[in-house]
Amino acid sequence: MFDAPFSSYQRSRGRARVALGATGALTGLFQQGSAKAMLPRTHGPLPEVVFLNTSGGLTGGDRFQFSLDVAAGAGAMAATQTAERAYASPDGVAEVSVSLSAGEGATLFWLPQETILFDRSGLDRRTEVTLGEGARYLGLETVVLGREAMGERVETLDFQDVRVVRDAAGRVIHAEQIALGSGTLAGRDRAAGLAGASVLASLVYIAPDAGDRIGPVRAALGDAPGCAASAWDGRLTIRAMGRDSWDLRRALIPAIRLLTNDHLPRVWQT
């Protein structure tokens, strides 16, 4: 009986939800399974929310949900405690859903740390954001294909990442999707593909002053290779790609500081 093959693998499940009231005080907290939320003591103008996955990474069959609600007129900066890692999946893909909402005139900065995708990993992630009238939102996602310093090269992958931002009436005001599979990676060195990049970052800033920020943001990016910014219709976006996650983060930090009034999550600095 001890030689019999396992019919199933142990899977991780987790849900974490945080709600902040008009003064920024905690009004709701729910934690279940391997998903946790922390509110570290800070001295800045915005409360910080840190989400974490205590199971140590993601693999096929894992299911996680993270949620943050910021009341009208309030503000918050949210991040993940460390880089999330998606490991080789012998069966299926991991699923992660992120739900964010900011009420009328609220401010919400979503600055998770990098997502590292290892060879043969599978991850399906969906981020849904709802913004009230006059709300200000900054969202960043960075994807790392293996660890360059360790000589890792990702050849087989199943990664889907969908991000949708809606107004309070449900109208889509921003949407994007990244799909990376083995076929994409086969041409990763071509200029029409990833041009040899192993780190990809996407930033979106949605606010009444988004169009006015494009000049200063481009100046903040300077001549950083692989970075470009554009703005239209109340949105500002930055796309960046490179071969080193630290170099890419360092290139983006001046622009992020500009858009957040010189604030970064504390977990980025530890």
Side-chain angles (χ1 to χ4, degrees):
M1 60 178 286
F2 295 105
D3 296 328
F6 289 103
S7 59
S8 63
Y9 295 90
Q10 183 177 1
R11 298 307 184 202
S12 294
R13 299 286 188 272
R15 295 173 58 200
R17 178 182 179 272
V18 175
L20 302 178
T23 64
L26 182 68
T27 58
L29 175 64
F30 176 84
Q31 301 178 96
Q32 182 183 67
S34 297
K36 306 297 179 184
M38 302 184 298
L39 283 82
R41 187 184 301 275
T42 63
H43 302 287
L46 295 178
E48 293 190 16
V49 179
V50 180
F51 291 106
L52 60 149
N53 168 13
T54 60
S55 67
L58 298 167
T59 190
D62 291 351
R63 303 287 184 269
F64 282 86
Q65 298 177 12
F66 299 99
S67 175
L68 173 61
D69 299 320
V70 181
M77 176 174 288
T80 54
Q81 184 190 38
T82 186
E84 184 61 276
R85 293 164 173 82
Y87 294 108
S89 297
D91 181 26
V93 300
E95 295 182 6
V96 176
S97 66
V98 179
S99 176
L100 308 170
S101 69
E104 183 177 351
T107 295
L108 174 54
F109 301 141
W110 172 237
L111 298 170
Q113 302 202 60
E114 295 84 357
T115 299
I116 304 175
L117 305 174
F118 290 90
D119 193 37
R120 295 181 292 113
S121 62
L123 174 59
D124 188 342
R125 181 172 61 195
R126 186 175 184 90
T127 302
E128 298 268 1
V129 184
T130 302
L131 301 179
E133 183 70 25
R136 189 161 60 120
Y137 170 73
L138 174 66
L140 172 70
E141 294 290 353
T142 304
V143 176
V144 182
L145 302 176
R147 297 170 299 182
E148 187 84 7
M150 303 296 291
E152 298 171 350
R153 185 174 176 86
V154 179
E155 303 286 355
T156 303
L157 183 66
D158 185 358
F159 178 60
Q160 298 282 337
D161 192 16
V162 177
R163 306 164 208 155
V164 181
V165 183
R166 294 182 171 88
D167 63 17
R171 182 177 67 94
V172 175
I173 55 178
H174 181 80
E176 56 186 294
Q177 178 178 10
I178 296 177
L180 295 175
S182 301
T184 308
L185 298 179
R188 65 188 297 176
D189 294 325
R190 295 197 294 264
L194 300 178
S198 56
V199 186
L200 312 172
S202 175
L203 178 149
V204 60
Y205 176 70
I206 300 175
D209 66 344
D212 299 330
R213 297 292 194 105
I214 185 62
V217 164
R218 285 174 173 165
L221 291 173
D223 58 357
C227 297
S230 61
W232 74 103
D233 195 22
R235 291 168 288 170
L236 184 152
T237 63
I238 299 176
R239 301 288 186 262
M241 55 197 300
R243 301 187 66 92
D244 184 274
S245 58
W246 170 243
D247 287 345
L248 202 63
R249 181 189 286 200
R250 188 170 56 183
L252 290 174
I253 280 177
I256 294 172
R257 284 189 178 278
L258 178 69
L259 295 171
T260 62
N261 296 324
D262 203 29
H263 299 302
L264 291 175
R266 288 186 64 188
V267 290
W268 277 35
Q269 305 167 43
T270 57

